[in-house]
Amino acid sequence: MIIIQKLWTAKIQFLKGVGPANAAKLAKLGIFTVGQLLEHYPRRYEDRSNHKLIAELTDGLYETFRALIINISELKSHRGLRIVKITVRDQSGVAQLTWFNQSYIKNKYKTGMEIIISGKVQRRLHSIEINKPDIELAADFNADAGQIIPVYPVMENIPQWQLRTLTRQAVEIFHTLPVSEAETLPQAILSGYNLINRQQALTAIHFPRNREMLAAARRRLVFEELYLLQCGLTYLKQKNKHKSQGIKHAPDGKLVTAIENKLPFTLTGDQQQTLQEIKADMEDITPMQRLLQGDVGSGKTVIATVALAKTVENGYQGALMAPTEILAEQHYHSLARLLAPHGIKLAVLTGKLTRKARDQLLCHIKEGGIDIVVGTHALIQADVEFKQLGLVVTDEQHRFGVQQRAQLEAKGGQPDVLVMTATPIPRTMALTVYGDLDVSVIRELPPGRQPIATYARASNRRDKVYAFAVEQMKAGRQIYVVCPLIEESDKVEAQSAIKIYDELSSTFFKDYNCGLLHGKMKPQEKDVIMSAFAGGEIKALIATTVIEVGVNVPNATVMIIEGADRFGLAQLHQLRGRVGRGEHKSYCILLSDSTNQETVERLRVMTEINDGFILAEKDLILRGPGQFFGTAQHGIPDLKIADIIRDTDILLEARRAAQQTVCTPEYLNRVWQTLLHWFGENFTMVFCR
């Protein structure tokens, strides 16, 4: 393992042909070491052993052909675009290659050059065009003739042939290692799951002899990536369960029973099930580490309320951390309504307290005079001390990083931990990002919650949309208008909150008090605006997505989303969840002029589905895992080759294998160094906290 680590971490200049200039180019791809080059996997492959003729190219397909450059030209369109066109021909016909605003292309190639072109074919009447194709000089291509060729993610100044040459050199060096030293997986795992060894896999993923070998290589490397991730998460889960004993809460007593009997509503089946899971965890000596998923409005807060009451009944303190001051205040008032009548002392700790008030509150918390503290990031500051912290609840937990969550937990001995999110997480994503936690899910909405009527409209219906919003305000309701940008931008065509605020407050909404809210405002300014909206003083709130996690405003019945095509399904659903919280029928209107097929499909799905969990699955499919739920905050590295949508079966296999490994110390020792390499700077934060 030591030998492979030395090779893996060797600077890229270790390879022949990599001087300072090439090293700087590779650095832009995130490649600084030989290991990073070997893990810079191809994004696709081309079988170039049988190039097509131009006349045989099929419209709409990604094709490869060989041709001669016969003309290079550049022209300027009436919109100011600079268009470079290269005309090529072979014995069967002529094709046009096109680039927009990339003038350097015309200096890169010359007439008479023979090139190999790969790209998506567009047949228009009697012409054939390929926009922004991949091009290689035929002279540079000889070494790879007749093989399945890797095509890498590259920058414009790094040719494919150069990256292939360097990668082949790295693969050859990797093959000089003993097989046992090059391997990262235990032999029992390789045999048990029918996986090829790592040297074979890295060779075949870059330079496959055939499609079968490529498939075997990909399966091995996907398995390895997911297996290592699951080993880390499984280890963390077991570490939390086997570290020093936690708090063993007693079964429910008079206080919890009285609070549950006084709830102003009956818990749904899902709420009851979730509450039983949490109580069972709290009554166990092992510290609870549980994730509570629940769609917008599903009633997660009441579950947290009962859990906090349980820890107080047992003589401990509880803490609830929320991402914003306004949300912390809302939680405080919600908890106080249910708990204060039973003698439970609550306080809210945020950044806006005066120094004197803060010092007094910290003293009460330290001495045990406060039972439950609700707050923001202020809770994790060094001077916040608890007498006996028994339960930590983190709301909208994806807004906090791993370190922040760990800092709050560290305020107690071994407190029970409950993290909550209103962003429904697909099962595969939950296994990947939250594999160290037990998961409870609330899918049922409380009785009486009406579905939110959702419509997608083009801008030619915009006047009617805002006229409808005015009718709602006349009836006493309030509305949200959400924009993708704060200010106008020359680079992005999208509505800005400031522009829309100026427009609406002087036209449609001129008779109503409007508010503007965006991320550049100071926290105190945002709190004033949100408080005024929650109190009904502001009738129309024009904002950016800062209201995605906001206060409960039951009187708000209309959510208008400008530029809805710029948001994913999960975010649109979160925004929609700001309305529909009261007795009145609510509406969400998605404004977009996009004709992109994927966008049209995304907005159609929003109009037909209100279930956040179904939407989350579809969002994962439409957008892919990379951007669905940022993993950086969780200390989880980006996946280099695995796709948790496509590779669900491998993920489940890898999870089983990881559970076997972590139960066997000699196996865990085998993968430990690889985990350290793979997680990099996040390793200590994730596994050693």
Side-chain angles (χ1 to χ4, degrees):
M1 187 62 75
I2 293 172
I3 296 174
I4 187 175
Q5 285 299 316
K6 284 183 178 178
L7 171 63
W8 224 250
T9 56
K11 297 295 184 186
I12 196 66
Q13 289 94 326
F14 173 76
L15 297 177
K16 184 179 178 182
V18 181
N22 280 333
K25 291 178 184 179
L26 291 166
K28 291 181 179 179
L29 288 172
I31 299 173
F32 300 91
T33 67
V34 175
Q36 288 170 333
L37 176 64
L38 285 170
E39 290 182 344
H40 187 72
Y41 299 120
R43 59 185 167 92
R44 58 183 176 82
Y45 300 85
E46 295 172 4
D47 186 352
R48 296 182 177 175
S49 59
N50 184 23
H51 294 152
K52 285 192 173 182
L53 295 173
I54 288 175
E56 298 171 337
L57 299 178
T58 304
D59 182 46
L61 294 186
Y62 205 99
E63 304 267 40
T64 299
F65 60 102
R66 193 177 188 123
L68 195 71
I69 297 175
I70 59 173
N71 186 54
I72 301 174
S73 62
E74 183 179 27
L75 55 93
K76 191 174 182 180
S77 74
H78 65 282
R79 291 194 300 169
L81 285 175
R82 304 198 75 85
I83 304 171
V84 175
K85 289 184 176 288
I86 295 181
T87 307
V88 298
R89 76 173 179 203
D90 64 10
Q91 64 266 39
S92 71
V94 174
Q96 195 91 320
L97 316 179
T98 307
W99 292 262
F100 297 95
N101 284 339
Q102 292 183 324
S103 294
Y104 72 92
I105 293 289
K106 70 178 186 292
N107 301 318
K108 193 172 180 180
Y109 303 102
K110 292 181 172 59
T111 55
M113 280 184 173
E114 189 175 17
I115 57 175
I116 295 166
I117 304 112
S118 299
K120 189 175 182 180
V121 177
Q122 294 179 307
R123 281 187 171 271
R124 295 191 176 122
L125 296 175
H126 304 297
S127 68
I128 295 174
E129 187 172 343
I130 296 94
N131 287 327
K132 201 179 177 182
D134 290 327
I135 292 182
E136 286 190 66
L137 301 180
D140 295 329
F141 183 63
N142 293 338
D144 293 321
Q147 296 182 16
I148 298 172
I149 303 303
V151 180
Y152 296 94
V154 293
M155 306 291 282
E156 287 160 353
N157 57 355
I158 304 176
Q160 289 284 343
W161 67 266
Q162 186 177 41
L163 205 52
R164 282 202 294 271
T165 300
L166 292 174
T167 304
R168 190 181 290 281
Q169 187 184 155
V171 166
E172 288 170 355
I173 294 170
F174 187 57
H175 263 276
T176 64
L177 300 177
V179 173
S180 60
E181 286 292 341
E183 191 51 71
T184 55
L185 299 181
Q187 184 56 47
I189 298 294
L190 292 175
S191 304
Y193 291 90
N194 194 27
L195 301 168
I196 62 176
N197 70 46
R198 197 159 198 254
Q199 285 179 327
Q200 292 171 317
L202 278 170
T203 301
I205 202 70
H206 290 290
F207 305 108
R209 293 194 305 273
N210 51 53
R211 292 284 174 182
E212 291 74 22
M213 199 61 196
L214 174 59
R218 186 182 183 281
R219 180 174 180 272
R220 151 64 206 238
L221 294 170
V222 167
F223 184 100
E224 173 187 303
E225 187 168 50
L226 295 173
Y227 166 79
L228 290 173
L229 175 58
Q230 292 300 320
C231 272
L233 293 171
T234 304
Y235 167 75
L236 181 57
K237 190 171 186 176
Q238 291 198 8
K239 176 186 171 188
N240 285 332
K241 287 191 173 180
H242 293 103
K243 60 189 177 183
S244 56
Q245 291 185 343
I247 298 163
K248 184 176 175 63
H249 289 81
D252 293 349
K254 291 181 180 179
L255 178 62
V256 171
T257 303
I259 289 169
E260 289 186 348
N261 289 338
K262 289 285 187 180
L263 290 176
F265 44 79
T266 302
L267 297 181
T268 65
D270 279 359
Q271 286 176 318
Q272 291 174 10
Q273 173 66 29
T274 296
L275 192 51
Q276 290 311 310
E277 291 169 349
I278 291 169
K279 286 179 178 179
D281 282 354
M282 294 179 72
E283 291 168 17
D284 194 334
I285 194 66
T286 302
M288 174 171 70
Q289 292 279 331
R290 185 167 289 276
L291 169 69
L292 173 54
Q293 286 192 73
D295 208 345
V296 176
S298 62
K300 299 180 298 298
T301 305
V302 72
I303 302 302
T305 302
V306 176
L308 287 163
K310 186 176 181 70
T311 205
V312 172
E313 183 176 57
N314 281 265
Y316 296 94
Q317 294 166 291
L320 190 157
M321 184 164 69
T324 65
E325 291 192 356
I326 195 75
L327 192 55
E329 294 273 3
Q330 179 182 307
H331 278 313
Y332 167 74
H333 291 299
S334 297
L335 266 63
R337 277 195 302 273
L338 297 173
L339 301 182
H342 298 273
I344 294 177
K345 299 180 180 65
L346 299 97
V348 61
L349 177 62
T350 62
K352 66 182 182 183
L353 288 176
T354 64
R355 182 69 191 178
K356 182 178 179 181
R358 176 184 167 82
D359 288 346
Q360 287 177 340
L361 178 55
L362 293 184
C363 184
H364 289 318
I365 295 170
K366 185 175 181 180
E367 292 173 354
I370 300 296
D371 298 314
I372 297 172
V373 186
V374 182
T376 56
H377 299 76
L379 282 173
I380 62 177
Q381 292 178 5
D383 58 352
V384 180
E385 297 180 55
F386 290 83
K387 184 178 181 182
Q388 253 189 328
L389 185 60
L391 174 64
V392 170
V393 180
T394 309
D395 189 28
E396 296 298 347
Q397 100 82 30
H398 63 282
R399 297 297 180 101
F400 299 103
V402 171
Q403 270 187 320
Q404 291 168 321
R405 195 175 95 197
Q407 282 176 295
L408 183 55
E409 292 171 33
K411 300 286 184 182
Q414 296 294 336
D416 287 328
V417 175
L418 177 66
V419 296
M420 305 194 299
T421 179
T423 301
I425 305 164
R427 179 169 175 259
T428 49
M429 193 62 113
L431 288 175
T432 307
V433 179
Y434 294 110
D436 60 320
L437 303 177
D438 295 310
V439 180
S440 292
V441 178
I442 302 176
R443 295 195 68 139
E444 288 179 87
L445 291 179
R449 285 297 297 265
Q450 302 178 57
I452 299 163
T454 306
Y455 305 93
R457 295 289 182 260
S459 60
N460 61 4
R461 304 281 295 278
R462 200 163 168 268
D463 286 358
K464 291 184 177 180
V465 168
Y466 283 112
F468 171 73
V470 170
E471 290 299 319
Q472 287 284 299
M473 287 192 287
K474 282 181 182 176
R477 309 286 82 78
Q478 292 166 269
I479 73 161
Y480 292 96
V481 179
V482 174
C483 305
L485 302 178
I486 297 174
E487 300 171 309
E488 286 190 86
S489 168
D490 294 331
K491 298 179 181 178
V492 181
E493 285 188 26
Q495 296 285 18
S496 73
I498 293 174
K499 178 185 174 185
I500 293 294
Y501 172 78
D502 290 339
E503 176 193 332
L504 293 177
S505 58
S506 61
T507 55
F508 287 100
F509 300 167
K510 64 180 185 298
D511 297 326
Y512 298 92
N513 193 15
C514 298
L516 174 65
L517 191 72
H518 57 73
K520 288 187 178 179
M521 296 168 67
K522 293 178 180 177
Q524 295 89 340
E525 294 175 316
K526 286 191 270 189
D527 281 349
V528 168
I529 295 294
M530 282 305 298
S531 295
F533 187 63
E537 299 166 43
I538 290 176
K539 299 301 180 186
L541 183 62
I542 295 93
T544 57
T545 54
V546 292
I547 57 99
E548 183 183 351
V549 175
V551 294
N552 185 28
V553 184
N555 191 46
T557 58
V558 179
M559 167 64 70
I560 299 170
I561 303 177
E562 293 270 5
D565 49 283
R566 298 182 62 81
F567 303 99
L569 280 175
Q571 195 170 35
L572 289 172
H573 183 63
Q574 283 288 99
L575 292 169
R576 177 169 62 183
R578 294 294 100 209
V579 297
R581 293 166 170 257
E583 58 182 310
H584 305 288
K585 184 169 176 60
S586 294
Y587 307 85
C588 177
I589 303 167
L590 313 170
L591 290 171
S592 169
D593 285 328
S594 175
T595 56
N596 177 277
Q597 200 57 44
E598 182 183 308
T599 300
V600 171
E601 171 64 11
R602 186 165 70 243
L603 299 186
R604 183 193 66 77
V605 167
M606 272 295 293
T607 65
E608 295 179 358
I609 298 173
N610 265 276
D611 187 314
F613 288 90
I614 297 174
L615 284 173
E617 296 286 353
K618 289 189 176 291
D619 200 25
L620 191 60
I621 293 167
L622 287 171
R623 298 171 70 200
Q627 297 301 317
F628 175 83
F629 203 74
T631 52
Q633 293 235 81
H634 305 275
I636 305 297
D638 291 333
L639 298 174
K640 297 182 178 72
I641 191 169
D643 179 331
I644 61 172
I645 305 165
R646 173 182 171 186
D647 300 320
T648 302
D649 290 344
I650 301 178
L651 170 60
L652 296 175
E653 284 186 324
R655 185 171 172 79
R656 283 198 301 274
Q659 288 166 344
Q660 297 166 12
T661 301
V662 175
C663 292
T664 314
E666 60 268 27
Y667 281 4
L668 185 58
N669 291 337
R670 178 69 181 163
V671 300
W672 194 253
Q673 286 299 318
T674 309
L675 279 169
L676 177 58
H677 152 71
W678 199 64
F679 278 80
E681 63 184 20
N682 289 323
F683 181 86
T684 302
M685 182 173 72
V686 177
F687 299 117
C688 303
R689 65 177 191 260

